Amino acid sequence: MNRKRSATLWVESEDLSVEEISDIIGQCPDRFRRKGGPGLTPTRPLKVNIWEVREEVAREEYIGLALERLWPRILPLEQGLAELARRGSFIQLSLVQRISEADPHQPGFGIDVQELRFLAGINAQLDVDQYAH
């Protein structure tokens, strides 16, 4: 099981290929999955292409560090991401945090006004998964 904390911006599209998404955004993804490939359960192939930019930190590091590393990478992509949203692509910022009593940081994180405007401007959904150990 992956025990890292992560911040990931992903784009899902039924109609656009990973390459077309990259061309519109102006950047190649860190990871991608193709329509028809294995999904979370291998018996159910993906119905969309998925394009991702991801930052990870170790379980004992503050989740905010992953966000601090992600923002400079994605904020300049706003115009292309907004275009994808207009074309019907689903965009999401996903945060995954594993929390334990030994956690050296509080289990929270912050998102400032500029970043909230960015997410709203690209019609992105925010998904936060927090797991206790």
Side-chain angles (χ1 to χ4, degrees):
M1 172 188 277
N2 183 351
R3 300 241 185 250
K4 293 185 177 182
R5 297 171 183 202
S6 63
T8 306
L9 181 81
W10 82 39
V11 177
E12 292 181 5
S13 178
E14 290 182 18
D15 303 322
L16 298 171
S17 69
V18 171
E19 292 77 16
E20 291 170 318
I21 294 169
S22 295
D23 287 344
I24 292 168
I25 293 175
Q27 179 174 308
C28 291
D30 293 339
R31 298 186 332 178
F32 64 87
R33 291 175 279 163
R34 294 191 189 278
K35 190 177 191 176
L40 295 178
T41 56
T43 58
R44 300 177 96 183
L46 285 173
K47 295 181 180 181
V48 294
N49 289 306
I50 300 174
W51 182 103
E52 296 181 7
V53 175
R54 180 183 186 94
E55 288 291 337
E56 293 182 337
V57 294
R59 185 178 160 274
E60 62 277 357
E61 292 182 288
Y62 175 50
I63 185 70
L65 291 176
L67 278 168
E68 288 173 18
R69 294 176 189 156
L70 186 67
W71 292 125
R73 297 184 64 203
I74 63 174
L75 289 174
L77 309 177
E78 184 172 10
Q79 185 176 354
L81 290 164
E83 174 63 25
L84 289 168
R86 282 189 290 278
R87 292 184 182 200
S89 295
F90 173 78
I91 302 172
Q92 179 171 285
L93 175 62
S94 175
L95 304 175
V96 176
Q97 183 177 23
R98 285 154 174 59
I99 301 169
S100 75
E101 289 182 22
D103 195 342
H105 301 280
Q106 297 296 325
F109 59 90
I111 298 178
D112 71 22
V113 172
Q114 174 190 1
E115 295 151 349
L116 289 171
R117 284 187 184 126
F118 166 79
L119 293 173
I122 63 170
N123 200 32
Q125 188 171 335
L126 175 62
D127 178 65
V128 180
D129 293 327
Q130 295 181 313
Y131 301 97
H133 286 281

